[in-house]
Amino acid sequence: SFTMELFLHSLCLVPVTLLLSNCSQAVVDVMIDLRHKTTSPEALEIHGSFTWLGQTQYKLQLKSQEVYSLQLKACFVHTGVYNLGTPRVFAKLADQVTLFETSQQNSMPALIIINNI
């Protein structure tokens, strides 16, 4: 026989707003993928791992000059410094076929410090 023990960790849930802006004059289809994780060794040394709660992919359409706020929730189980800039955002003109990853992936990290859970 064996004994199973459950350890419940404290969770820290943080609301995050992803602001999407269509600066073009055209209608744009957008796909957001939250499943992407930073896997480079350098990044893992600095930033911890966390989980996005809820849907892992979103598809929406933005009209010309439209700004859309996507409400997300990040879940942390340990204190540390985390990079919230992991979502991948793809866009295409509504009448095109090919999706292109937006340049926001090359921007500065969006860091959050969790110092108490």
Side-chain angles (χ1 to χ4, degrees), residues 31-36 52 56-58 86-90 105:
M31 195 271 284
I32 298 102
D33 187 357
L34 301 179
R35 298 170 301 173
H36 176 68
W52 292 107
T56 57
Q57 288 186 311
Y58 295 83
T86 59
R88 297 179 75 183
V89 179
F90 299 86
Q105 285 297 301

Side-chain angles (χ1 to χ4, degrees), residues 54-100:
Q55 274 181 251
T56 57
Q57 288 186 311
Y58 295 83
K59 292 181 181 179
L60 50 104
Q61 193 171 78
L62 296 179
K63 300 184 180 92
S64 171
Q65 306 299 316
E66 184 178 359
V67 177
Y68 184 85
S69 295
L70 183 61
Q71 304 303 316
L72 305 173
K73 201 163 279 185
C75 178
F76 305 89
V77 295
H78 300 292
T79 60
V81 178
Y82 298 87
N83 179 16
L84 294 179
T86 59
R88 297 179 75 183
V89 179
F90 299 86
K92 71 177 182 65
L93 297 176
D95 59 355
Q96 301 287 315
V97 175
T98 308
L99 276 171
F100 294 96

